[in-house]
Amino acid sequence: MLKLFQTLFQTPRFQAGDRVNRLHLGSLDRTDGRVVAHTDEGVLVEWPRNGSGWERPNALCQQG
């Protein structure tokens, strides 16, 4: 049970190659990104239309 609570409050971790979307104010504003790297500074994501950029891990959701 404790493990479940820990996962609810953890910062998500992404692996290189994961496909992600970015949420802003409750809606998707960027889609189909590919994670290039996940560091202590954030997540470097390559977006199909907007190039690449650093994102906060909590603003991203992984595509299924």
Side-chain angles (χ1 to χ4, degrees):
M1 186 61 116
L2 181 61
K3 202 106 161 115
L4 173 65
F5 285 119
Q6 286 177 333
T7 59
L8 291 175
F9 297 104
Q10 270 182 336
T11 300
R13 294 287 306 172
F14 298 98
Q15 300 295 318
D18 286 349
R19 293 180 63 185
V20 294
N21 297 326
R22 185 175 77 176
L23 296 168
H24 181 69
L25 299 176
S27 63
L28 292 175
D29 70 338
R30 286 192 180 176
T31 59
D32 261 351
R34 289 229 183 249
V35 173
V36 177
H38 189 143
T39 68
D40 292 337
E41 302 296 319
V43 182
L44 180 59
V45 179
E46 186 176 282
W47 300 104
R49 292 188 194 98
N50 300 8
S52 59
W54 289 97
E55 306 290 345
R56 293 175 303 121
N58 292 337
L60 300 173
C61 61
Q62 188 168 353
Q63 293 181 359

